[in-house]
Amino acid sequence: MTFSVAATATAATAAAMATIVPPPAPTATRTHESRAAEPVTGRCAGCSARSKGLCGALTTGDLPDLSAASRPLDLLSATPVVMEGEEATAVFTVMSGMLKLYKTLPDGRQQITGFATAGDVIGLAVGTGYAYTAETVTASTVCRMSRTALHRLMERHPAVQGRLLAMTSVELSAAQDQILLLGCKTAMERVSSFLLALSRRSRPLADGTPSVFLPMPKVDIGAYLGLRPETLSRVLRKLEEAGAITRLSNDRIRIENPAALEATA
Amino acid sequence: MTFSVAATATAATAAAMATIVPPPAPTATRTHESRAAEPVTGRCAGCSARSKGLCGALTTGDLPDLSAASRPLDLLSATPVVMEGEEATAVFTVMSGMLKLYKTLPDGRQQITGFATAGDVIGLAVGTGYAYTAETVTASTVCRMSRTALHRLMERHPAVQGRLLAMTSVELSAAQDQILLLGCKTAMERVSSFLLALSRRSRPLADGTPSVFLPMPKVDIGAYLGLRPETLSRVLRKLEEAGAITRLSNDRIRIENPAALEATA
DNA sequence: CGGACGATTGACCTGGTTCAAAAGCGGTGG
DNA sequence: CCACCGCTTTTGAACCAGGTCAATCGTCCG
């Protein structure tokens, strides 16, 4: 899923399946496993996002279907992947890197609705056009699957549709949390919520202190939180003065006092 | 779906199905139709929301399943239906009336994430607890279905899961539009967007002029748009002075100049 | 070393909030 | 039928959180 400041990350997709998705029907075992040596099978089998996103809904025996339907792409940073309003012909699974998803107003104002990382699926569309623009913020690898291939995959493997429902539900919940953040919270509360959410989904430093990695420019964080970069900068300074965080570098922050952040969030 | 200022309403669910949902598998025709005279069948058959929400995914022959699984409830206004955080044991389809869905911060601030009207399904949960509180704003009728019954229904009728995915996708898109509204737009733009969205989904007056019905108090509209009721009142006055709208009564507004609203939204 | 771009800081401004009061507007009961 | 009461809506005036504008500072790269 694309992350939100309040999403509880890792186990969320599984949890969603447990609650609104029917128990997975026993997937018919196919005979493709004997062809496991095929390069096309091997590609998905060795994929780092294998267990995530849509692909996690499939068993090893289904990998040939998956490999045949999808194609990996390596992208530099600042590369658009889908454009808001364009005809939605494919979906993309993020294998590595980070993308930003945003909507644009006619006068150019932009609102980032989420950031996508490994395992997230982007480009699912309601209607014919993409609902948002997706663009890499770091060099990334994504896996392209045409819309028709996705439909065929869902027909052959009902679990894929269930997974898609689970993922969409998690996204919806995250979007509602973001609505709460944007509608109610102060700048300080927004930044604290954001840092806490990131720290939950990222690994602590060697010494065990929680930390967050912010590969995107500050202006993008601002566009996500509904704040100007100047405001973001001022709030981060206040948090640092209060001893809640330390700026290790421009793109890494150490959380010194999670409780203090929790209190202001 | 619960509505958002930018959702294109009526045909949206069907459109979503066309794009991310596989073509409906030919539903096995059952023999229950011969028992159509049963009272339990008749209840759903005569339901005004019959063709909407989850129920629209089922054919007439499946109505006994539906009737057996669900139970209608008449509710007064200001009645809570589901509470944020409580264990999610059931879902509810709105048959008539209007509900507000909101999230609450520890200090009491509330953000309304949407209003639900006939056909909308509320209470779909990610995890074990409801993600929001739902409360009637007018006297309403809702139809209760336990979560286990919903799971059984999805197992027996795959089209129900497809419909659920389509509805969730439409909700997600609406939520992202609301994020754009709350993150970027001015008070004037928010109110204009809101009125336009409502006018698209409501019937014009007898003389053909578009109008909107606002059964909820102004404070709720404000909580939805991220504004105080005072600000809302001032913006409405400005729109009226500009000749874009006319206040017919406290809960009804006539849109005099949709183009003017479009321009400010 | 120089130039470009992102991040930061300061000073000022403003849209929207807050606080307070008045005005509508149903309902209720005499 | 009207007087009263409680609540929502509206209006006014002062305030402030965050935005805007402009200058400075890093830092990364060629």
Short mmCIF file of all heavy atoms in Angstrom, two decimals, chain B residues 94-135:
data_model
loop_
_atom_site.label_atom_id
_atom_site.label_comp_id
_atom_site.label_asym_id
_atom_site.label_seq_id
_atom_site.Cartn_x
_atom_site.Cartn_y
_atom_site.Cartn_z
N VAL B 94 -27.38 1.53 3.56
CA VAL B 94 -28.34 2.59 3.79
C VAL B 94 -29.49 2.44 2.79
O VAL B 94 -29.26 2.33 1.59
CB VAL B 94 -27.69 3.97 3.63
CG1 VAL B 94 -28.72 5.08 3.87
CG2 VAL B 94 -26.51 4.12 4.57
N MET B 95 -30.73 2.41 3.30
CA MET B 95 -31.89 2.31 2.43
C MET B 95 -32.52 3.68 2.21
O MET B 95 -33.01 3.99 1.13
CB MET B 95 -32.91 1.33 3.01
CG MET B 95 -32.35 -0.11 3.04
SD MET B 95 -33.22 -1.19 4.18
CE MET B 95 -34.83 -1.28 3.39
N SER B 96 -32.53 4.50 3.25
CA SER B 96 -33.05 5.87 3.11
C SER B 96 -32.46 6.73 4.21
O SER B 96 -31.93 6.22 5.19
CB SER B 96 -34.57 5.87 3.21
OG SER B 96 -34.96 5.57 4.54
N GLY B 97 -32.55 8.05 4.04
CA GLY B 97 -32.02 8.96 5.03
C GLY B 97 -30.57 9.30 4.75
O GLY B 97 -30.07 9.08 3.65
N MET B 98 -29.94 9.88 5.75
CA MET B 98 -28.53 10.29 5.58
C MET B 98 -27.76 10.10 6.87
O MET B 98 -28.27 10.37 7.96
CB MET B 98 -28.46 11.76 5.15
CG MET B 98 -27.04 12.26 4.96
SD MET B 98 -26.97 13.97 4.39
CE MET B 98 -27.23 13.78 2.65
N LEU B 99 -26.55 9.60 6.74
CA LEU B 99 -25.67 9.41 7.89
C LEU B 99 -24.40 10.23 7.69
O LEU B 99 -24.03 10.51 6.57
CB LEU B 99 -25.22 7.95 8.04
CG LEU B 99 -26.07 6.70 8.13
CD1 LEU B 99 -26.14 6.21 9.54
CD2 LEU B 99 -27.37 6.76 7.45
N LYS B 100 -23.76 10.59 8.79
CA LYS B 100 -22.43 11.19 8.69
C LYS B 100 -21.42 10.20 9.25
O LYS B 100 -21.68 9.51 10.23
CB LYS B 100 -22.36 12.53 9.43
CG LYS B 100 -22.60 12.46 10.92
CD LYS B 100 -22.44 13.83 11.58
CE LYS B 100 -22.83 13.78 13.05
NZ LYS B 100 -22.72 15.10 13.71
N LEU B 101 -20.23 10.16 8.60
CA LEU B 101 -19.15 9.29 9.04
C LEU B 101 -18.03 10.18 9.53
O LEU B 101 -17.63 11.10 8.82
CB LEU B 101 -18.65 8.44 7.87
CG LEU B 101 -19.72 7.85 6.94
CD1 LEU B 101 -19.07 7.00 5.86
CD2 LEU B 101 -20.72 7.03 7.73
N TYR B 102 -17.55 9.97 10.73
CA TYR B 102 -16.49 10.86 11.23
C TYR B 102 -15.49 10.16 12.11
O TYR B 102 -15.77 9.10 12.68
CB TYR B 102 -17.09 12.06 11.96
CG TYR B 102 -17.93 11.73 13.17
CD1 TYR B 102 -17.35 11.64 14.43
CD2 TYR B 102 -19.30 11.55 13.06
CE1 TYR B 102 -18.12 11.36 15.56
CE2 TYR B 102 -20.08 11.25 14.17
CZ TYR B 102 -19.48 11.16 15.41
OH TYR B 102 -20.25 10.87 16.51
N LYS B 103 -14.33 10.77 12.20
CA LYS B 103 -13.26 10.32 13.06
C LYS B 103 -13.03 11.37 14.13
O LYS B 103 -13.25 12.55 13.88
CB LYS B 103 -11.97 10.17 12.25
CG LYS B 103 -11.94 8.98 11.32
CD LYS B 103 -10.70 9.03 10.46
CE LYS B 103 -10.20 7.68 10.05
NZ LYS B 103 -9.73 6.79 11.08
N THR B 104 -12.60 10.94 15.29
CA THR B 104 -12.44 11.86 16.41
C THR B 104 -11.01 11.80 16.93
O THR B 104 -10.44 10.72 17.08
CB THR B 104 -13.42 11.49 17.54
OG1 THR B 104 -14.73 11.40 17.00
CG2 THR B 104 -13.40 12.53 18.64
N LEU B 105 -10.43 12.97 17.21
CA LEU B 105 -9.11 13.05 17.83
C LEU B 105 -9.27 12.95 19.35
O LEU B 105 -10.35 13.23 19.87
CB LEU B 105 -8.48 14.39 17.46
CG LEU B 105 -7.29 14.45 16.49
CD1 LEU B 105 -7.22 13.26 15.56
CD2 LEU B 105 -7.34 15.73 15.68
N PRO B 106 -8.20 12.54 20.06
CA PRO B 106 -8.30 12.37 21.51
C PRO B 106 -8.88 13.59 22.22
O PRO B 106 -9.59 13.47 23.22
CB PRO B 106 -6.85 12.12 21.95
CG PRO B 106 -6.18 11.58 20.74
CD PRO B 106 -6.86 12.20 19.56
N ASP B 107 -8.58 14.81 21.71
CA ASP B 107 -9.06 16.00 22.40
C ASP B 107 -10.47 16.41 21.95
O ASP B 107 -10.96 17.46 22.36
CB ASP B 107 -8.09 17.17 22.20
CG ASP B 107 -8.05 17.63 20.75
OD1 ASP B 107 -8.74 17.01 19.91
OD2 ASP B 107 -7.34 18.61 20.46
N GLY B 108 -11.10 15.60 21.13
CA GLY B 108 -12.49 15.87 20.79
C GLY B 108 -12.73 16.47 19.41
O GLY B 108 -13.87 16.50 18.95
N ARG B 109 -11.69 16.96 18.77
CA ARG B 109 -11.89 17.49 17.41
C ARG B 109 -12.41 16.39 16.50
O ARG B 109 -11.97 15.25 16.59
CB ARG B 109 -10.56 18.03 16.87
CG ARG B 109 -10.17 19.39 17.39
CD ARG B 109 -8.78 19.78 16.92
NE ARG B 109 -7.75 19.01 17.62
CZ ARG B 109 -6.46 19.08 17.34
NH1 ARG B 109 -6.02 19.85 16.35
NH2 ARG B 109 -5.60 18.38 18.04
N GLN B 110 -13.34 16.75 15.64
CA GLN B 110 -13.93 15.74 14.76
C GLN B 110 -13.77 16.14 13.31
O GLN B 110 -13.91 17.30 12.94
CB GLN B 110 -15.43 15.59 15.06
CG GLN B 110 -15.69 15.02 16.45
CD GLN B 110 -17.15 14.72 16.68
OE1 GLN B 110 -18.02 15.24 16.00
NE2 GLN B 110 -17.41 13.86 17.65
N GLN B 111 -13.52 15.14 12.46
CA GLN B 111 -13.46 15.36 11.03
C GLN B 111 -14.46 14.43 10.37
O GLN B 111 -14.34 13.20 10.49
CB GLN B 111 -12.05 15.08 10.50
CG GLN B 111 -11.92 15.17 8.99
CD GLN B 111 -12.15 16.59 8.48
OE1 GLN B 111 -11.77 17.55 9.12
NE2 GLN B 111 -12.79 16.69 7.31
N ILE B 112 -15.42 14.98 9.68
CA ILE B 112 -16.38 14.16 8.94
C ILE B 112 -15.70 13.71 7.64
O ILE B 112 -15.21 14.54 6.88
CB ILE B 112 -17.67 14.94 8.66
CG1 ILE B 112 -18.38 15.20 9.99
CG2 ILE B 112 -18.56 14.19 7.69
CD1 ILE B 112 -19.71 15.91 9.87
N THR B 113 -15.67 12.40 7.41
CA THR B 113 -14.99 11.90 6.21
C THR B 113 -15.96 11.69 5.07
O THR B 113 -15.54 11.53 3.92
CB THR B 113 -14.26 10.58 6.50
OG1 THR B 113 -15.22 9.63 6.96
CG2 THR B 113 -13.18 10.76 7.55
N GLY B 114 -17.25 11.68 5.36
CA GLY B 114 -18.22 11.52 4.28
C GLY B 114 -19.64 11.46 4.81
O GLY B 114 -19.86 11.33 6.02
N PHE B 115 -20.59 11.62 3.91
CA PHE B 115 -21.99 11.44 4.24
C PHE B 115 -22.48 10.23 3.44
O PHE B 115 -22.09 10.05 2.29
CB PHE B 115 -22.80 12.67 3.87
CG PHE B 115 -22.43 13.90 4.65
CD1 PHE B 115 -21.56 14.84 4.12
CD2 PHE B 115 -22.93 14.12 5.93
CE1 PHE B 115 -21.19 15.98 4.83
CE2 PHE B 115 -22.57 15.25 6.65
CZ PHE B 115 -21.70 16.18 6.11
N ALA B 116 -23.30 9.39 4.05
CA ALA B 116 -23.79 8.19 3.36
C ALA B 116 -25.28 8.33 3.08
O ALA B 116 -26.04 8.76 3.95
CB ALA B 116 -23.53 6.95 4.22
N THR B 117 -25.68 8.00 1.87
CA THR B 117 -27.10 8.02 1.49
C THR B 117 -27.49 6.68 0.89
O THR B 117 -26.69 5.75 0.87
CB THR B 117 -27.39 9.16 0.50
OG1 THR B 117 -26.53 9.02 -0.63
CG2 THR B 117 -27.14 10.52 1.13
N ALA B 118 -28.72 6.59 0.40
CA ALA B 118 -29.28 5.31 -0.08
C ALA B 118 -28.30 4.57 -1.00
O ALA B 118 -27.79 5.13 -1.95
CB ALA B 118 -30.60 5.55 -0.78
N GLY B 119 -28.07 3.30 -0.68
CA GLY B 119 -27.20 2.47 -1.50
C GLY B 119 -25.80 2.35 -0.94
O GLY B 119 -25.08 1.40 -1.27
N ASP B 120 -25.39 3.30 -0.11
CA ASP B 120 -24.05 3.25 0.44
C ASP B 120 -23.95 2.14 1.49
O ASP B 120 -24.91 1.84 2.19
CB ASP B 120 -23.67 4.59 1.08
CG ASP B 120 -23.55 5.70 0.05
OD1 ASP B 120 -23.32 5.38 -1.13
OD2 ASP B 120 -23.70 6.88 0.43
N VAL B 121 -22.75 1.58 1.59
CA VAL B 121 -22.50 0.54 2.58
C VAL B 121 -21.55 1.11 3.62
O VAL B 121 -20.53 1.70 3.26
CB VAL B 121 -21.88 -0.71 1.93
CG1 VAL B 121 -21.50 -1.74 2.98
CG2 VAL B 121 -22.84 -1.30 0.92
N ILE B 122 -21.88 0.97 4.88
CA ILE B 122 -20.99 1.48 5.91
C ILE B 122 -20.58 0.36 6.86
O ILE B 122 -21.27 -0.64 6.99
CB ILE B 122 -21.63 2.63 6.71
CG1 ILE B 122 -22.87 2.14 7.46
CG2 ILE B 122 -22.02 3.78 5.79
CD1 ILE B 122 -23.57 3.25 8.19
N GLY B 123 -19.41 0.52 7.43
CA GLY B 123 -18.93 -0.42 8.42
C GLY B 123 -17.95 -1.45 7.90
O GLY B 123 -17.50 -2.31 8.65
N LEU B 124 -17.58 -1.36 6.62
CA LEU B 124 -16.53 -2.24 6.12
C LEU B 124 -15.26 -1.89 6.86
O LEU B 124 -14.87 -0.73 6.89
CB LEU B 124 -16.34 -2.04 4.62
CG LEU B 124 -17.50 -2.47 3.74
CD1 LEU B 124 -17.29 -2.00 2.32
CD2 LEU B 124 -17.68 -3.97 3.80
N ALA B 125 -14.63 -2.88 7.47
CA ALA B 125 -13.51 -2.57 8.34
C ALA B 125 -12.23 -3.21 7.87
O ALA B 125 -12.24 -4.29 7.31
CB ALA B 125 -13.82 -3.00 9.76
N VAL B 126 -11.14 -2.53 8.10
CA VAL B 126 -9.81 -3.07 7.87
C VAL B 126 -9.28 -3.39 9.26
O VAL B 126 -9.04 -2.49 10.03
CB VAL B 126 -8.91 -2.01 7.22
CG1 VAL B 126 -7.58 -2.62 6.82
CG2 VAL B 126 -9.60 -1.39 6.02
N GLY B 127 -9.11 -4.65 9.56
CA GLY B 127 -8.71 -5.02 10.91
C GLY B 127 -9.97 -5.37 11.70
O GLY B 127 -11.01 -5.65 11.11
N THR B 128 -9.87 -5.31 13.00
CA THR B 128 -11.02 -5.76 13.77
C THR B 128 -11.98 -4.64 14.14
O THR B 128 -13.14 -4.89 14.39
CB THR B 128 -10.57 -6.44 15.07
OG1 THR B 128 -9.84 -5.49 15.83
CG2 THR B 128 -9.68 -7.63 14.77
N GLY B 129 -11.49 -3.39 14.16
CA GLY B 129 -12.36 -2.31 14.62
C GLY B 129 -12.86 -1.43 13.49
O GLY B 129 -12.21 -1.31 12.45
N TYR B 130 -14.02 -0.82 13.71
CA TYR B 130 -14.51 0.15 12.73
C TYR B 130 -13.54 1.32 12.65
O TYR B 130 -12.98 1.74 13.66
CB TYR B 130 -15.89 0.67 13.13
CG TYR B 130 -17.00 -0.36 13.04
CD1 TYR B 130 -17.70 -0.78 14.17
CD2 TYR B 130 -17.34 -0.92 11.81
CE1 TYR B 130 -18.72 -1.72 14.08
CE2 TYR B 130 -18.36 -1.86 11.71
CZ TYR B 130 -19.04 -2.26 12.85
OH TYR B 130 -20.04 -3.19 12.76
N ALA B 131 -13.38 1.86 11.44
CA ALA B 131 -12.41 2.94 11.23
C ALA B 131 -13.01 4.29 11.55
O ALA B 131 -12.29 5.27 11.66
CB ALA B 131 -11.90 2.91 9.80
N TYR B 132 -14.33 4.37 11.65
CA TYR B 132 -14.98 5.65 11.89
C TYR B 132 -16.30 5.43 12.62
O TYR B 132 -16.79 4.30 12.73
CB TYR B 132 -15.24 6.37 10.56
CG TYR B 132 -15.90 5.51 9.51
CD1 TYR B 132 -17.25 5.20 9.59
CD2 TYR B 132 -15.17 4.99 8.44
CE1 TYR B 132 -17.85 4.40 8.64
CE2 TYR B 132 -15.77 4.18 7.48
CZ TYR B 132 -17.11 3.90 7.58
OH TYR B 132 -17.71 3.09 6.66
N THR B 133 -16.85 6.50 13.13
CA THR B 133 -18.18 6.47 13.72
C THR B 133 -19.18 6.86 12.66
O THR B 133 -18.93 7.76 11.86
CB THR B 133 -18.25 7.46 14.89
OG1 THR B 133 -17.28 7.10 15.87
CG2 THR B 133 -19.64 7.47 15.53
N ALA B 134 -20.31 6.17 12.61
CA ALA B 134 -21.39 6.54 11.69
C ALA B 134 -22.63 6.84 12.50
O ALA B 134 -22.98 6.10 13.42
CB ALA B 134 -21.67 5.42 10.70
N GLU B 135 -23.28 7.96 12.19
CA GLU B 135 -24.41 8.42 12.98
C GLU B 135 -25.43 9.04 12.04
O GLU B 135 -25.07 9.76 11.11
CB GLU B 135 -23.88 9.47 13.97
CG GLU B 135 -24.89 10.04 14.90
CD GLU B 135 -24.23 11.10 15.80
OE1 GLU B 135 -23.13 10.86 16.32
OE2 GLU B 135 -24.84 12.18 15.94
#
